Amino acid sequence: MNQIGNQQMLREINKSLLLNYIYEQGPISRVELARKTRLSPTTVSVLMEDAIQEGLVRETGTAGSGVGRRMTLLDIHAEGGCVLGVDLSNAPARCVLLDLRGKVLAAERLQPLFGEDTIRIELPKLIRSFLSNQSAQLSTIRWMGISIPGRIDEKRENIVNSTYLGLQNFPLRTLLFEEFGIPMHLVNDLDAAGFAERFNGTAKGLQTIVYILIDYGVGAGLVLNNQIYRGRNERAGRIQNFAPYSTKYLSKRLMDSYPDHFSDMDPTHIIQRFVELGIGGVEPLASELNGIIRGIAAYCGDVLQLLSPEQLILSGWIAQNEAFFSKLAEEIQKSEAALVPTPVKAPQWKEYGAAIGAATIGLHRMFKSRTMS
């Protein structure tokens, strides 16, 4: 690389370092930035002026007391753009818009998306429609994160396989980048939902959590010592034991077995009605529901004994009915049989967790310190 290229790369690395400090520790002064990064005050001033002109950073108040010049503070300009999060793991899909400080500005359900042709044609249209509905210009979108129910390649660009979406070796990141021309990434849906809860949700500040989803899809996301654990070939988190409890299969079985209770209802409402009747003591649905509680609790208890996490988060239909969730959480803690039971929580972000997590990961990538590669 020539000298000009090296200088430009060094400039970008230094700028990313400064932005990372502001993102993590702002509001912060230029003087403090120079001290922490060991960059010269002149370099800090020049690079921060660039960031202000780009709309990423703004001056916000002053600090200091007594004799001497007060220091101007810098912070991320929350209104300086947006990040977009799209979750394809739900039916319907979900879309969210966050400001540059992670505040949710808008959230919307999209139509269900399945199959290569549908996703290739309809997903870009739906994203543009969402932005139009929010009066958001594409030029204001700084990053896009897409949450996927399935395996993603190591570069986080292609969907290796998603049974739920009916995709295999599908270049989704390339497709969307060619359409929109903005930075973006793919992320597993459970990793995204777990990240949202750790960043600003029910697991905020925790280092080791287990996130289990039972909905249209089933699976687990594992965070061990603040690192996402994906396992060999990124297959960690598969829970075949819970497949019979998924919305699709459980609703079909209930419809076939008890048509008088569940006629003319879609799968989601069948599950909701089943839980209500079961909790209300209507037989044989109450016995069916108790059997499901015992099955989930036994498995989760074993997981908690093995990993001893700081928190277990349960998401999907199993977390929607408060009475059912309380009963399930109590049974899990009994099965764990620990002197100090692991807290069992429902997600703060519920059905939008994966979309919010995908967008929030985009924020972290935007303001991540770069290194010389």
Side-chain angles (χ1 to χ4, degrees), residues 288-310:
E288 286 258 14
L289 193 63
N290 287 331
I292 291 174
I293 289 174
R294 289 192 297 270
I296 295 173
Y299 190 100
C300 289
D302 290 342
V303 169
L304 297 183
Q305 288 180 12
L306 178 66
L307 297 179
S308 189
E310 295 169 277

Side-chain angles (χ1 to χ4, degrees), residues 50-62:
D50 283 353
I52 290 172
Q53 292 299 318
E54 293 172 14
L56 291 174
V57 172
R58 65 170 182 167
E59 295 182 339
T60 171
T62 58

